[in-house]
Amino acid sequence: MLLTKPKKPCSLQDFLDYLAYVTNDAENLQFYLWLVDYHQRFRNAPLEETALSPKWNFDDPSPRQSDKSGQTGLGYSDKTLSVLGVDNFDSLEEEDISNASTVDGHPSPYTTTLGTLKFSDFPLMECKALDGSNTRFNNAQPFRMEINRMVAHYIAPGSPRELNLSHKDRAAVLYALRRTTHPSAFQPIKTVLDLTLRNQTHPNFIRWSICNGNKPWTIFLRTFAVCNIVVGFVIAILLTLSRASRWYRILAALEWWFGIMTLITAYQGLCVLLLRRHTREVRPWEMDDEYGHRHGCDDEEARLRHSKILYKETKSRWPVKMELFGPPNTSDNETWMDRYGMKSVFKRTFEQEVPTQDQGLHMMQNKIVRQAEAWAFIITVSLTTFFTALPKGNLY
């Protein structure tokens, strides 16, 4: 996905929105993108600095010196890093990250951040290592403050965006990060995220993206399809009981075929009409409010947003609109939820449409429609043959 750059509605930003609002585990992708970025920055750091953080071997839990090639052992290719826009980093000067990500030089409208929290404020030093001792860090190591903050946000138990890790993996990573800031210390996390994102989350996202209508529209389509099927049966029964020629009963086939085809596609969340127009209905969270942002905040967050932090250790350019640091990934305080809840059923059903651009998704949707048409044809032929074979009722 990072290499092919799929278009909407299968883009990386859509994937992040799906994780944030549907599966509620956006921290997996957020941490993964940071890890790709961190891998490149560590590799480009001066050798005299990276020498302070030896490569970590989980099979032999004792730090080893990094090789001179700057390899980190996480397996990211230069092409992947280039796609993410992290292949060219200038001097790591102090950078204001009161809003951790920006879009065209402006703060991202997607989330707020806990702006006044300093690196030293996080309850990271209370974490216990495998041997039960207090966690202590070598502040001379490169990116140490950044690692501390990532641990406090994503790895430490009870952190705001705690990753779903086993106790063994979490303890092993915390133990490794006590001694080194080398990217290889994150190997267990990378392995878990690779398996989760590639083999489970992303396939589910593609299946979810096939749906081009929201839930009210899908329910409307299913009801409409059932009505067409019922009308077909009414036509066939009335013509069978009449004195009309049995060949008129074939007229019911049109209603059956259209109704069955629509019903099959609607149960997969797919609307043929929207597909032919290359559009989909807009998601509730994609509707900007009158204030130009999507996430609400309380008074404390509003106060914190105006504070500035100088993030000395990193300079990130994310391929998606996201805040790396901040409160938990929840939509409880977002304004679109209240606005969407106040919408009438009619407006929810006939929602605004936006164009779809991904050709691969169109191919999958067309394949589903072709299969639905084939099944509808088989069932329609069977029903038509059955009713045509019945004798006349001659009741009227």
Side-chain angles (χ1 to χ4, degrees):
M1 188 175 188
L2 298 179
L3 298 178
T4 57
K5 287 187 177 181
K7 298 181 179 180
K8 285 184 171 295
C10 298
S11 65
L12 189 61
Q13 183 63 61
D14 294 308
F15 188 29
L16 181 61
D17 289 342
Y18 166 78
L19 295 176
Y21 301 116
V22 180
T23 62
N24 299 316
D25 54 358
E27 58 275 359
N28 289 340
L29 183 59
Q30 291 168 340
F31 189 89
Y32 189 86
L33 293 176
W34 170 84
L35 193 56
V36 175
D37 172 72
Y38 180 71
H39 169 279
Q40 177 70 10
R41 288 186 286 112
F42 190 93
R43 187 173 63 178
N44 292 342
L47 184 60
E48 59 272 14
E49 295 183 11
T50 58
L52 299 175
S53 295
K55 186 174 181 179
W56 188 261
N57 183 4
F58 284 92
D59 295 328
D60 179 19
S62 58
R64 296 185 290 111
Q65 294 296 325
S66 302
D67 57 69
K68 296 183 179 180
S69 64
Q71 297 298 321
T72 61
L74 286 180
Y76 293 113
S77 65
D78 290 336
K79 187 176 181 181
T80 300
L81 297 168
S82 177
V83 168
L84 287 173
V86 295
D87 51 339
N88 292 314
F89 280 87
D90 300 322
S91 59
L92 299 176
E93 300 175 348
E94 292 187 353
E95 182 181 2
D96 177 15
I97 61 155
S98 295
N99 291 283
S101 64
T102 59
V103 184
D104 297 330
H106 300 284
S108 168
Y110 276 66
T111 61
T112 60
T113 57
L114 300 181
T116 59
L117 293 181
K118 306 296 182 181
F119 298 124
S120 58
D121 292 337
F122 290 90
L124 184 61
M125 298 304 175
E126 300 300 325
C127 298
K128 299 293 183 178
L130 290 178
D131 56 7
S133 61
N134 287 328
T135 304
R136 298 177 182 175
F137 299 101
N138 181 1
N139 291 329
Q141 292 175 334
F143 308 107
R144 170 51 70 186
M145 292 300 183
E146 179 180 357
I147 295 298
N148 290 2
R149 200 177 192 194
M150 290 303 296
V151 171
H153 263 80
Y154 292 90
I155 304 176
S159 53
R161 302 180 182 180
E162 183 178 353
L163 297 174
N164 186 16
L165 303 172
S166 66
H167 174 74
K168 179 181 178 181
D169 289 339
R170 191 186 311 275
V173 170
L174 289 175
Y175 183 80
L177 292 176
R178 293 178 62 203
R179 292 165 170 78
T180 182
T181 59
H182 196 279
S184 59
F186 294 100
Q187 184 60 47
I189 297 181
K190 179 185 179 297
T191 301
V192 171
L193 294 183
D194 268 335
L195 292 175
T196 303
L197 293 174
R198 296 178 187 273
N199 300 333
Q200 179 180 349
T201 310
H202 188 259
N204 292 339
F205 165 67
I206 295 300
R207 285 190 287 268
W208 177 81
S209 299
I210 290 176
C211 305
N212 55 9
N214 56 26
K215 188 175 181 179
W217 178 253
T218 302
I219 295 176
F220 171 78
L221 282 180
R222 295 174 182 176
T223 304
F224 179 73
V226 171
C227 291
N228 275 272
I229 297 174
V230 171
V231 169
F233 276 104
V234 171
I235 293 175
I237 292 174
L238 291 178
L239 291 176
T240 301
L241 297 177
S242 69
R243 293 188 180 90
S245 173
R246 66 178 62 195
W247 300 112
Y248 284 108
R249 304 171 196 173
I250 299 178
L251 295 176
L254 297 177
E255 293 289 339
W256 282 331
W257 180 85
F258 182 76
I260 295 173
M261 185 271 295
T262 304
L263 185 63
I264 294 175
T265 55
Y267 265 99
Q268 300 191 50
L270 182 60
C271 173
V272 180
L273 178 61
L274 294 177
L275 174 61
R276 297 295 178 246
R277 295 163 60 178
H278 294 278
T279 60
R280 65 172 176 87
E281 290 193 318
V282 66
R283 314 293 184 193
W285 54 83
E286 294 175 334
M287 297 179 291
D288 292 331
D289 60 22
E290 63 271 22
Y291 300 104
H293 58 78
R294 303 184 180 182
H295 293 242
C297 60
D298 54 26
D299 294 338
E300 179 66 13
E301 291 180 5
R303 182 184 65 81
L304 293 177
R305 190 189 306 177
H306 295 288
S307 302
K308 293 182 179 296
I309 300 178
L310 294 179
Y311 200 0
K312 302 178 181 180
E313 298 290 344
T314 185
K315 184 177 181 181
S316 302
R317 298 175 305 188
W318 306 114
V320 294
K321 301 174 184 178
M322 75 172 188
E323 300 291 351
L324 184 60
F325 304 117
N329 292 310
T330 61
S331 57
D332 296 338
N333 296 325
E334 297 192 13
T335 56
W336 64 264
M337 296 189 66
D338 294 333
R339 291 185 291 107
Y340 187 75
M342 293 186 294
K343 276 191 171 184
S344 64
V345 176
F346 180 84
K347 290 184 178 180
R348 291 187 188 185
T349 303
F350 300 94
E351 191 60 86
Q352 176 185 357
E353 298 178 16
V354 292
T356 58
Q357 303 171 344
D358 191 84
Q359 295 300 320
L361 183 66
H362 287 163
M363 292 177 61
M364 288 186 288
Q365 291 173 330
N366 286 325
K367 183 178 179 180
I368 292 175
V369 173
R370 297 292 178 267
Q371 292 174 345
E373 291 174 343
W375 279 108
F377 178 79
I378 294 173
I379 297 175
T380 299
V381 168
S382 302
L383 292 174
T384 305
T385 302
F386 172 77
F387 276 94
T388 304
L390 294 176
K392 296 180 181 181
N394 294 322
L395 297 180
Y396 52 90

